[in-house]
Amino acid sequence: MTTLYLFGSAAPPVLEVAEVIKAGQHRGWDVCLALTPAAARWLEADLPALEELTGHPVRSEYKLPGEPDAWPPADVILFAPATFNTVNEWALGLTSKFVVGVVAEAIGKEIPTVAMPCVNSAYARHPQFHRSVDALRASGVNVLYSEGGFVPNRPGERPQEGYPWHLALEAVDAVVGARP
């Protein structure tokens, strides 16, 4: 069974994470969910149900030294939605958040990683964002942004077609299908 680490930041599509977990499980994946602290706060009332759905603790903090890892090792990681702040922290190696630390280390461990940002067009115009996307891509991360991925919307608006979760899941499918 493929183990998928599904990570999410505090952007509106994270509220749809239960359906994404179910879609991953339908594909035969063992899904482990982790969230930024802000996203965990958004989903606080749903965390027990999400733990029951995945069969694993939902994580948003680093474990204490000496504590055993509660999850099996990842075969692939999907970070979606990834906010402006998270993408920049990751590219710059700022790992104070558990999810950013795991994906930063995944680059060196060569764990296949797919990321799909969720930023509005005002954030997307910031020069650091494009440098960060380029840095992550150069490090081997499959960043689904612009054509074939997430296209920024105007501030305060959501795309009519919704967040393209199907593109993220298809990208993970491609990774899983390419494994020997």
Side-chain angles (χ1 to χ4, degrees):
M1 178 178 281
T2 296
T3 299
L4 168 70
Y5 285 7
L6 174 60
F7 292 175
S9 302
V14 80
L15 300 174
E16 302 161 356
V17 75
E19 293 308 311
V20 178
I21 292 166
K22 290 174 189 173
Q25 291 171 331
H26 181 73
R27 288 168 161 82
W29 306 336
D30 181 19
V31 182
C32 299
L33 177 65
L35 304 163
T36 62
R41 194 168 47 253
W42 285 18
L43 292 169
E44 188 172 3
D46 299 322
L47 295 179
L50 292 168
E51 289 185 352
E52 185 174 328
L53 180 61
T54 64
H56 301 285
V58 175
R59 299 196 49 200
S60 62
E61 301 289 338
Y62 285 104
K63 65 183 182 69
L64 295 174
E67 279 186 335
D69 201 333
W71 291 354
D75 294 304
V76 60
I77 300 172
L78 170 59
F79 204 138
T83 60
F84 174 82
N85 191 55
T86 300
V87 169
N88 290 324
E89 287 175 332
W90 182 5
L92 294 170
L94 304 175
T95 61
S96 60
K97 292 179 185 147
F98 168 71
V99 290
V100 178
V102 172
V103 291
E105 191 174 42
I107 292 169
K109 289 181 171 182
E110 299 180 348
I111 299 169
T113 303
V114 175
M116 190 160 56
C118 183
V119 297
N120 67 42
S121 58
Y123 280 127
R125 291 187 65 194
H126 192 286
Q128 183 56 51
F129 182 72
H130 289 279
R131 286 191 292 267
S132 293
V133 168
D134 291 345
L136 292 173
R137 285 178 172 158
S139 299
V141 177
N142 181 4
V143 182
L144 304 173
Y145 176 71
S146 289
E147 193 166 323
F150 179 80
V151 177
N153 47 281
R154 292 177 31 172
E157 294 181 2
R158 289 197 63 184
Q160 278 187 318
E161 62 279 356
Y163 189 70
W165 283 110
H166 66 285
L167 297 175
L169 294 171
E170 289 167 8
V172 173
D173 272 333
V175 169
V176 171
R179 293 179 55 217

